[in-house]
Amino acid sequence: MDRHSGSSVECLEWCTTVRDISRSKLTHMLLTPNDDNGNHDSSRMWKKPLQGTMKINCDDSYLASVAFSTCVVVLQNDKGDFLKAFSRRLGHCTILKAKLWAILFGMNMACDSSYKAIIIETDFVEAIELVEDPRYHEDQFVDLSSKIVKTKEKFTSCSIVHVLRQANTMACCFAKNDLTIDSDVCFYDKLLDFTVTSMRMDANLDPSILS
């Protein structure tokens, strides 16, 4: 397994922003998730999945200076416990393609577990439309979307849903960090320091989820 402790100044500054600013702004969104009309909006906060269900959060990042994208998936169980994370460099590709790869990689990782029910969360609604609705299929993505549809059949229950970025903070942290790592593929089987704050917010600041 690849492990890297080095981080660039840019990544450290970004993580500091997540730690300091998010405690006030994002924590309020997570604890009182309302839309502009004051209605409850669950897509603003990370929620534990139903019992017996694995949750997979997907994200990507792009570094313009070297023109490559990275996709990331984070797996958590029905108690909100961190299970593992995975990242992979994809080279130069569109945001949509990176999101689709993240979904597929997450599903493949879930296939190696005992979970037969999964829920996948992404903040890119176009990726969901491409997979779920044939009307949105495009020639350049047909092979990738077909693989996702076929892999879904391996589960008794598999949902791909849209969430706001506030509900995807841990995957976002991994994605930003992995831009600074000199490795094409990384596996993580434990939380890293820069993810602790985001996981506390994902758990509505309940420290028991980290115990």
Side-chain angles (χ1 to χ4, degrees):
M1 291 186 180
D2 294 305
R3 293 288 185 274
H4 303 271
S5 57
S7 297
S8 69
V9 173
E10 179 182 1
C11 178
L12 290 175
E13 291 177 347
W14 188 91
C15 291
T16 299
T17 300
V18 170
R19 183 184 67 246
D20 296 336
I21 297 179
S22 294
R23 283 181 178 176
S24 58
K25 184 176 181 179
L26 291 185
T27 297
H28 175 72
M29 291 180 178
L30 289 167
L31 293 176
T32 57
N34 299 295
D35 60 21
D36 295 337
N37 297 318
N39 299 317
H40 180 72
D41 182 4
S42 61
S43 66
R44 287 183 182 271
M45 61 184 295
W46 191 94
K47 296 178 63 178
K48 297 177 185 178
L50 296 175
Q51 185 174 2
T53 301
M54 173 189 287
K55 177 168 282 192
I56 303 170
N57 286 86
C58 304
D59 202 7
D60 74 295
S61 53
Y62 180 77
L63 191 59
S65 60
V66 291
F68 71 80
S69 296
T70 297
C71 70
V72 169
V73 295
V74 177
L75 281 61
Q76 291 170 261
N77 64 18
D78 53 9
K79 297 180 180 178
D81 299 326
F82 174 85
L83 297 176
K84 49 190 171 182
F86 167 84
S87 70
R88 179 173 176 176
R89 286 187 179 179
L90 302 172
H92 182 70
C93 69
T94 64
I95 294 176
L96 177 55
K97 189 172 184 178
K99 299 289 187 181
L100 291 172
W101 274 118
I103 291 172
L104 182 60
F105 288 142
M107 294 171 71
N108 286 336
M109 291 180 68
C111 285
D112 296 330
S113 71
S114 59
Y115 285 87
K116 298 302 179 183
I118 64 173
I119 180 170
I120 302 170
E121 294 184 340
T122 176
D123 57 16
F124 206 68
V125 68
E126 289 86 351
I128 302 174
E129 292 174 341
L130 192 64
V131 173
E132 301 290 354
D133 193 335
R135 293 179 300 171
Y136 291 95
H137 284 185
E138 301 178 25
D139 290 342
Q140 60 177 320
F141 300 120
V142 64
D143 290 340
L144 189 51
S145 58
S146 296
K147 289 179 181 179
I148 293 174
V149 172
K150 185 175 182 179
T151 306
K152 287 181 65 177
E153 297 174 356
K154 298 181 180 181
F155 301 94
T156 56
S157 175
C158 176
S159 301
I160 306 176
V161 300
H162 175 257
V163 294
L164 300 181
R165 291 192 66 81
Q166 294 97 319
N168 210 32
T169 54
M170 189 182 302
C172 187
C173 280
F174 273 105
K176 292 290 185 181
N177 180 73
D178 284 358
L179 285 175
T180 70
I181 295 176
D182 186 22
S183 179
D184 290 337
V185 178
C186 290
F187 290 90
Y188 305 88
D189 56 10
K190 62 180 180 180
L191 285 173
L192 303 183
D193 291 342
F194 63 85
T195 64
V196 172
T197 297
S198 63
M199 189 166 190
R200 286 187 183 277
M201 288 190 297
D202 284 348
N204 286 334
L205 300 184
D206 179 2
S208 66
I209 198 171
L210 300 176
S211 61

